[in-house]
Amino acid sequence: MIHAKNPLYHRHHARHLSEKEWRRRREMHLFHVEYQTRRDCLRMLREVRDRRRAGNLEKLSDYVEDIMSSHIQLKTWRTLPWKWEFLNDVYNILALAHLDRCALPRNVDFLEPQNRYLLYLLRPERYRDMAMTFGGPNMYLEMAREERVHSRINQKLEQLEDRLRHSRFAIERAYLLFEIARCHFKEARYDKCLEISRKAFNVARSCNSLVWRFNSVFLVCQVHALLNRFERLKESLAKASQLAQDLRALHLVAFISICINVNNYDLAMRRMRQSEPQVRRSRNRSTGTTPALSSTSGLSLSGGSRLVM
């Protein structure tokens, strides 16, 4: 029974197994893990490119966040020696997917105020009637749905901030800051969004990433356009135009030039509206002072005539 549980040849083999053999077996296992990791990374890159071609940016962002937080973040340099190259490719593809959205629909008059959300890639405002009607939509179901969306965004924010504390690559920090700013933008925290977008811009400048700098500046443009801050929007669009020229992307240059022209039109209309009350006041003052001047002149002439007589 003892021989069946632990045979003599196995004891002899275990006794004479050298440390070099253990190292060889460990190296073989690590090479196997490295090869499998390489295959997984190539499969992920193909999936990221396919999702970019599909054009669904939200699904692509969720997929990138999932693979980076659950799979790539746990890999060491021994099993993934080209980790930096893989991160660079994935984040650049995601940034280019954000740039692909900057396209204008046809047969749309962007000088109309109701078409501004199409120009700056904003969601249309939903006007909902809060009156309770028989057979209408259930208000409590919509409130519960919005609460689930808010909790999901807050959970994503916590995960992104936790990853930001342990990130070692500048392009990854630029991506994380940009995603945090987008989450604040979805939650209508515009001041926080502007602050973090500027941080993402500075980090992207430190790693010489023009695409992430453009995405950060355009997010700032979206906030200013939503709040009708035309003067600040003009400055942000000028930065975006310079970055589009540095990227040598003709469609981005055309897109930003249309945004600049529309913003100049809005700015001129605002100045015209502000100048109209001043013109009216000046006209009223001028019409109010002319009769008084005529009466005084008449008095002087009459007084002068009496003196002559």
Side-chain angles (χ1 to χ4, degrees), residues 180-202:
I180 291 172
R182 281 187 68 209
C183 291
H184 287 299
F185 180 74
K186 293 177 183 178
E187 289 291 308
R189 304 167 188 160
Y190 299 123
D191 293 336
K192 195 72 175 177
C193 177
L194 290 175
E195 178 184 355
I196 299 179
S197 296
R198 294 188 184 99
K199 290 182 181 179
F201 179 83
N202 295 330

PDB file of all heavy atoms in Angstrom, residues 180-202:
ATOM      1  N   ILE A 180     -13.299  60.573 -17.202  1.00  0.00           N
ATOM      2  CA  ILE A 180     -13.875  61.165 -15.988  1.00  0.00           C
ATOM      3  C   ILE A 180     -14.600  62.469 -16.324  1.00  0.00           C
ATOM      4  O   ILE A 180     -15.713  62.739 -15.825  1.00  0.00           O
ATOM      5  CB  ILE A 180     -12.770  61.394 -14.943  1.00  0.00           C
ATOM      6  CG1 ILE A 180     -12.244  60.051 -14.418  1.00  0.00           C
ATOM      7  CG2 ILE A 180     -13.271  62.236 -13.785  1.00  0.00           C
ATOM      8  CD1 ILE A 180     -11.043  60.161 -13.526  1.00  0.00           C
ATOM      9  N   ALA A 181     -14.002  63.279 -17.206  1.00  0.00           N
ATOM     10  CA  ALA A 181     -14.656  64.527 -17.620  1.00  0.00           C
ATOM     11  C   ALA A 181     -15.951  64.236 -18.382  1.00  0.00           C
ATOM     12  O   ALA A 181     -16.954  64.944 -18.215  1.00  0.00           O
ATOM     13  CB  ALA A 181     -13.702  65.347 -18.486  1.00  0.00           C
ATOM     14  N   ARG A 182     -15.955  63.196 -19.212  1.00  0.00           N
ATOM     15  CA  ARG A 182     -17.185  62.828 -19.924  1.00  0.00           C
ATOM     16  C   ARG A 182     -18.280  62.387 -18.953  1.00  0.00           C
ATOM     17  O   ARG A 182     -19.462  62.709 -19.153  1.00  0.00           O
ATOM     18  CB  ARG A 182     -16.899  61.703 -20.914  1.00  0.00           C
ATOM     19  CG  ARG A 182     -16.242  62.131 -22.209  1.00  0.00           C
ATOM     20  CD  ARG A 182     -16.177  60.973 -23.171  1.00  0.00           C
ATOM     21  NE  ARG A 182     -17.499  60.590 -23.616  1.00  0.00           N
ATOM     22  CZ  ARG A 182     -17.842  59.366 -23.980  1.00  0.00           C
ATOM     23  NH1 ARG A 182     -16.955  58.387 -23.918  1.00  0.00           N
ATOM     24  NH2 ARG A 182     -19.052  59.111 -24.402  1.00  0.00           N
ATOM     25  N   CYS A 183     -17.906  61.664 -17.925  1.00  0.00           N
ATOM     26  CA  CYS A 183     -18.902  61.250 -16.923  1.00  0.00           C
ATOM     27  C   CYS A 183     -19.502  62.466 -16.223  1.00  0.00           C
ATOM     28  O   CYS A 183     -20.723  62.524 -15.999  1.00  0.00           O
ATOM     29  CB  CYS A 183     -18.271  60.300 -15.918  1.00  0.00           C
ATOM     30  SG  CYS A 183     -17.832  58.678 -16.583  1.00  0.00           S
ATOM     31  N   HIS A 184     -18.664  63.439 -15.869  1.00  0.00           N
ATOM     32  CA  HIS A 184     -19.189  64.663 -15.256  1.00  0.00           C
ATOM     33  C   HIS A 184     -20.061  65.439 -16.242  1.00  0.00           C
ATOM     34  O   HIS A 184     -21.044  66.072 -15.838  1.00  0.00           O
ATOM     35  CB  HIS A 184     -18.040  65.536 -14.768  1.00  0.00           C
ATOM     36  CG  HIS A 184     -17.355  64.999 -13.541  1.00  0.00           C
ATOM     37  ND1 HIS A 184     -18.012  64.815 -12.344  1.00  0.00           N
ATOM     38  CD2 HIS A 184     -16.075  64.604 -13.329  1.00  0.00           C
ATOM     39  CE1 HIS A 184     -17.172  64.335 -11.444  1.00  0.00           C
ATOM     40  NE2 HIS A 184     -15.992  64.194 -12.016  1.00  0.00           N
ATOM     41  N   PHE A 185     -19.723  65.399 -17.518  1.00  0.00           N
ATOM     42  CA  PHE A 185     -20.532  66.082 -18.528  1.00  0.00           C
ATOM     43  C   PHE A 185     -21.910  65.432 -18.651  1.00  0.00           C
ATOM     44  O   PHE A 185     -22.924  66.128 -18.794  1.00  0.00           O
ATOM     45  CB  PHE A 185     -19.803  66.040 -19.870  1.00  0.00           C
ATOM     46  CG  PHE A 185     -20.537  66.725 -20.986  1.00  0.00           C
ATOM     47  CD1 PHE A 185     -20.587  68.105 -21.049  1.00  0.00           C
ATOM     48  CD2 PHE A 185     -21.175  65.989 -21.975  1.00  0.00           C
ATOM     49  CE1 PHE A 185     -21.272  68.743 -22.072  1.00  0.00           C
ATOM     50  CE2 PHE A 185     -21.854  66.609 -23.000  1.00  0.00           C
ATOM     51  CZ  PHE A 185     -21.900  67.994 -23.056  1.00  0.00           C
ATOM     52  N   LYS A 186     -21.958  64.109 -18.578  1.00  0.00           N
ATOM     53  CA  LYS A 186     -23.250  63.423 -18.630  1.00  0.00           C
ATOM     54  C   LYS A 186     -24.096  63.719 -17.398  1.00  0.00           C
ATOM     55  O   LYS A 186     -25.327  63.729 -17.473  1.00  0.00           O
ATOM     56  CB  LYS A 186     -23.034  61.915 -18.752  1.00  0.00           C
ATOM     57  CG  LYS A 186     -22.416  61.484 -20.067  1.00  0.00           C
ATOM     58  CD  LYS A 186     -22.154  59.992 -20.082  1.00  0.00           C
ATOM     59  CE  LYS A 186     -21.472  59.565 -21.366  1.00  0.00           C
ATOM     60  NZ  LYS A 186     -21.158  58.105 -21.363  1.00  0.00           N
ATOM     61  N   GLU A 187     -23.438  63.970 -16.262  1.00  0.00           N
ATOM     62  CA  GLU A 187     -24.154  64.273 -15.034  1.00  0.00           C
ATOM     63  C   GLU A 187     -24.423  65.766 -14.852  1.00  0.00           C
ATOM     64  O   GLU A 187     -24.880  66.179 -13.783  1.00  0.00           O
ATOM     65  CB  GLU A 187     -23.343  63.771 -13.834  1.00  0.00           C
ATOM     66  CG  GLU A 187     -23.303  62.263 -13.696  1.00  0.00           C
ATOM     67  CD  GLU A 187     -24.647  61.687 -13.305  1.00  0.00           C
ATOM     68  OE1 GLU A 187     -25.237  62.158 -12.327  1.00  0.00           O
ATOM     69  OE2 GLU A 187     -25.111  60.776 -14.008  1.00  0.00           O
ATOM     70  N   ALA A 188     -24.121  66.568 -15.885  1.00  0.00           N
ATOM     71  CA  ALA A 188     -24.364  68.017 -15.866  1.00  0.00           C
ATOM     72  C   ALA A 188     -23.545  68.740 -14.798  1.00  0.00           C
ATOM     73  O   ALA A 188     -23.965  69.775 -14.275  1.00  0.00           O
ATOM     74  CB  ALA A 188     -25.853  68.325 -15.696  1.00  0.00           C
ATOM     75  N   ARG A 189     -22.363  68.219 -14.478  1.00  0.00           N
ATOM     76  CA  ARG A 189     -21.429  68.912 -13.584  1.00  0.00           C
ATOM     77  C   ARG A 189     -20.396  69.624 -14.467  1.00  0.00           C
ATOM     78  O   ARG A 189     -19.280  69.154 -14.650  1.00  0.00           O
ATOM     79  CB  ARG A 189     -20.755  67.916 -12.647  1.00  0.00           C
ATOM     80  CG  ARG A 189     -21.735  67.081 -11.828  1.00  0.00           C
ATOM     81  CD  ARG A 189     -21.022  65.920 -11.182  1.00  0.00           C
ATOM     82  NE  ARG A 189     -21.945  64.997 -10.549  1.00  0.00           N
ATOM     83  CZ  ARG A 189     -21.639  63.725 -10.246  1.00  0.00           C
ATOM     84  NH1 ARG A 189     -20.434  63.243 -10.525  1.00  0.00           N
ATOM     85  NH2 ARG A 189     -22.529  62.943  -9.680  1.00  0.00           N
ATOM     86  N   TYR A 190     -20.783  70.766 -14.999  1.00  0.00           N
ATOM     87  CA  TYR A 190     -19.999  71.382 -16.063  1.00  0.00           C
ATOM     88  C   TYR A 190     -18.717  72.015 -15.552  1.00  0.00           C
ATOM     89  O   TYR A 190     -17.694  71.990 -16.253  1.00  0.00           O
ATOM     90  CB  TYR A 190     -20.865  72.412 -16.795  1.00  0.00           C
ATOM     91  CG  TYR A 190     -22.090  71.807 -17.430  1.00  0.00           C
ATOM     92  CD1 TYR A 190     -23.371  72.262 -17.118  1.00  0.00           C
ATOM     93  CD2 TYR A 190     -21.974  70.759 -18.336  1.00  0.00           C
ATOM     94  CE1 TYR A 190     -24.491  71.700 -17.691  1.00  0.00           C
ATOM     95  CE2 TYR A 190     -23.094  70.185 -18.910  1.00  0.00           C
ATOM     96  CZ  TYR A 190     -24.347  70.661 -18.585  1.00  0.00           C
ATOM     97  OH  TYR A 190     -25.456  70.086 -19.150  1.00  0.00           O
ATOM     98  N   ASP A 191     -18.729  72.582 -14.360  1.00  0.00           N
ATOM     99  CA  ASP A 191     -17.501  73.172 -13.819  1.00  0.00           C
ATOM    100  C   ASP A 191     -16.444  72.098 -13.574  1.00  0.00           C
ATOM    101  O   ASP A 191     -15.258  72.278 -13.897  1.00  0.00           O
ATOM    102  CB  ASP A 191     -17.805  73.913 -12.528  1.00  0.00           C
ATOM    103  CG  ASP A 191     -18.677  75.138 -12.767  1.00  0.00           C
ATOM    104  OD1 ASP A 191     -18.655  75.641 -13.905  1.00  0.00           O
ATOM    105  OD2 ASP A 191     -19.380  75.570 -11.839  1.00  0.00           O
ATOM    106  N   LYS A 192     -16.873  70.975 -13.001  1.00  0.00           N
ATOM    107  CA  LYS A 192     -15.942  69.866 -12.788  1.00  0.00           C
ATOM    108  C   LYS A 192     -15.446  69.296 -14.113  1.00  0.00           C
ATOM    109  O   LYS A 192     -14.275  68.918 -14.244  1.00  0.00           O
ATOM    110  CB  LYS A 192     -16.653  68.776 -11.983  1.00  0.00           C
ATOM    111  CG  LYS A 192     -15.728  67.743 -11.379  1.00  0.00           C
ATOM    112  CD  LYS A 192     -14.937  68.309 -10.241  1.00  0.00           C
ATOM    113  CE  LYS A 192     -14.110  67.227  -9.559  1.00  0.00           C
ATOM    114  NZ  LYS A 192     -13.260  67.792  -8.479  1.00  0.00           N
ATOM    115  N   CYS A 193     -16.324  69.254 -15.090  1.00  0.00           N
ATOM    116  CA  CYS A 193     -15.939  68.764 -16.413  1.00  0.00           C
ATOM    117  C   CYS A 193     -14.871  69.652 -17.036  1.00  0.00           C
ATOM    118  O   CYS A 193     -13.897  69.150 -17.608  1.00  0.00           O
ATOM    119  CB  CYS A 193     -17.175  68.679 -17.301  1.00  0.00           C
ATOM    120  SG  CYS A 193     -16.837  68.178 -19.004  1.00  0.00           S
ATOM    121  N   LEU A 194     -15.023  70.962 -16.936  1.00  0.00           N
ATOM    122  CA  LEU A 194     -14.026  71.885 -17.491  1.00  0.00           C
ATOM    123  C   LEU A 194     -12.685  71.744 -16.784  1.00  0.00           C
ATOM    124  O   LEU A 194     -11.626  71.738 -17.426  1.00  0.00           O
ATOM    125  CB  LEU A 194     -14.539  73.317 -17.376  1.00  0.00           C
ATOM    126  CG  LEU A 194     -15.708  73.709 -18.272  1.00  0.00           C
ATOM    127  CD1 LEU A 194     -16.170  75.112 -17.944  1.00  0.00           C
ATOM    128  CD2 LEU A 194     -15.328  73.596 -19.728  1.00  0.00           C
ATOM    129  N   GLU A 195     -12.722  71.590 -15.475  1.00  0.00           N
ATOM    130  CA  GLU A 195     -11.479  71.465 -14.711  1.00  0.00           C
ATOM    131  C   GLU A 195     -10.702  70.216 -15.105  1.00  0.00           C
ATOM    132  O   GLU A 195      -9.486  70.253 -15.354  1.00  0.00           O
ATOM    133  CB  GLU A 195     -11.815  71.444 -13.218  1.00  0.00           C
ATOM    134  CG  GLU A 195     -10.618  71.277 -12.318  1.00  0.00           C
ATOM    135  CD  GLU A 195     -11.006  71.152 -10.851  1.00  0.00           C
ATOM    136  OE1 GLU A 195     -12.212  71.298 -10.544  1.00  0.00           O
ATOM    137  OE2 GLU A 195     -10.107  70.898 -10.027  1.00  0.00           O
ATOM    138  N   ILE A 196     -11.387  69.088 -15.198  1.00  0.00           N
ATOM    139  CA  ILE A 196     -10.697  67.827 -15.508  1.00  0.00           C
ATOM    140  C   ILE A 196     -10.310  67.772 -16.977  1.00  0.00           C
ATOM    141  O   ILE A 196      -9.295  67.157 -17.342  1.00  0.00           O
ATOM    142  CB  ILE A 196     -11.581  66.646 -15.095  1.00  0.00           C
ATOM    143  CG1 ILE A 196     -11.828  66.698 -13.587  1.00  0.00           C
ATOM    144  CG2 ILE A 196     -10.949  65.326 -15.460  1.00  0.00           C
ATOM    145  CD1 ILE A 196     -12.695  65.603 -13.050  1.00  0.00           C
ATOM    146  N   SER A 197     -11.077  68.424 -17.847  1.00  0.00           N
ATOM    147  CA  SER A 197     -10.704  68.467 -19.271  1.00  0.00           C
ATOM    148  C   SER A 197      -9.396  69.229 -19.458  1.00  0.00           C
ATOM    149  O   SER A 197      -8.555  68.829 -20.285  1.00  0.00           O
ATOM    150  CB  SER A 197     -11.818  69.126 -20.079  1.00  0.00           C
ATOM    151  OG  SER A 197     -12.995  68.373 -20.027  1.00  0.00           O
ATOM    152  N   ARG A 198      -9.202  70.287 -18.700  1.00  0.00           N
ATOM    153  CA  ARG A 198      -7.930  71.013 -18.786  1.00  0.00           C
ATOM    154  C   ARG A 198      -6.771  70.153 -18.274  1.00  0.00           C
ATOM    155  O   ARG A 198      -5.663  70.187 -18.830  1.00  0.00           O
ATOM    156  CB  ARG A 198      -8.029  72.314 -18.000  1.00  0.00           C
ATOM    157  CG  ARG A 198      -9.025  73.308 -18.602  1.00  0.00           C
ATOM    158  CD  ARG A 198      -8.961  74.652 -17.911  1.00  0.00           C
ATOM    159  NE  ARG A 198      -9.974  75.566 -18.431  1.00  0.00           N
ATOM    160  CZ  ARG A 198     -11.143  75.804 -17.851  1.00  0.00           C
ATOM    161  NH1 ARG A 198     -11.438  75.209 -16.708  1.00  0.00           N
ATOM    162  NH2 ARG A 198     -12.009  76.634 -18.387  1.00  0.00           N
ATOM    163  N   LYS A 199      -7.020  69.369 -17.224  1.00  0.00           N
ATOM    164  CA  LYS A 199      -5.979  68.447 -16.759  1.00  0.00           C
ATOM    165  C   LYS A 199      -5.648  67.401 -17.819  1.00  0.00           C
ATOM    166  O   LYS A 199      -4.476  67.070 -18.047  1.00  0.00           O
ATOM    167  CB  LYS A 199      -6.440  67.758 -15.470  1.00  0.00           C
ATOM    168  CG  LYS A 199      -6.503  68.658 -14.254  1.00  0.00           C
ATOM    169  CD  LYS A 199      -6.912  67.877 -13.029  1.00  0.00           C
ATOM    170  CE  LYS A 199      -6.996  68.761 -11.798  1.00  0.00           C
ATOM    171  NZ  LYS A 199      -7.421  67.989 -10.591  1.00  0.00           N
ATOM    172  N   ALA A 200      -6.675  66.861 -18.473  1.00  0.00           N
ATOM    173  CA  ALA A 200      -6.445  65.887 -19.539  1.00  0.00           C
ATOM    174  C   ALA A 200      -5.660  66.507 -20.692  1.00  0.00           C
ATOM    175  O   ALA A 200      -4.791  65.853 -21.289  1.00  0.00           O
ATOM    176  CB  ALA A 200      -7.783  65.341 -20.035  1.00  0.00           C
ATOM    177  N   PHE A 201      -5.942  67.773 -20.999  1.00  0.00           N
ATOM    178  CA  PHE A 201      -5.205  68.463 -22.065  1.00  0.00           C
ATOM    179  C   PHE A 201      -3.734  68.593 -21.704  1.00  0.00           C
ATOM    180  O   PHE A 201      -2.847  68.362 -22.543  1.00  0.00           O
ATOM    181  CB  PHE A 201      -5.833  69.836 -22.305  1.00  0.00           C
ATOM    182  CG  PHE A 201      -5.140  70.643 -23.357  1.00  0.00           C
ATOM    183  CD1 PHE A 201      -5.423  70.446 -24.697  1.00  0.00           C
ATOM    184  CD2 PHE A 201      -4.212  71.617 -23.009  1.00  0.00           C
ATOM    185  CE1 PHE A 201      -4.784  71.198 -25.674  1.00  0.00           C
ATOM    186  CE2 PHE A 201      -3.569  72.356 -23.975  1.00  0.00           C
ATOM    187  CZ  PHE A 201      -3.856  72.151 -25.308  1.00  0.00           C
ATOM    188  N   ASN A 202      -3.432  68.954 -20.461  1.00  0.00           N
ATOM    189  CA  ASN A 202      -2.029  69.105 -20.047  1.00  0.00           C
ATOM    190  C   ASN A 202      -1.301  67.768 -20.042  1.00  0.00           C
ATOM    191  O   ASN A 202      -0.134  67.678 -20.453  1.00  0.00           O
ATOM    192  CB  ASN A 202      -1.977  69.749 -18.660  1.00  0.00           C
ATOM    193  CG  ASN A 202      -2.505  71.169 -18.656  1.00  0.00           C
ATOM    194  OD1 ASN A 202      -2.400  71.879 -19.648  1.00  0.00           O
ATOM    195  ND2 ASN A 202      -3.095  71.588 -17.553  1.00  0.00           N
TER     196      ASN A 202
END
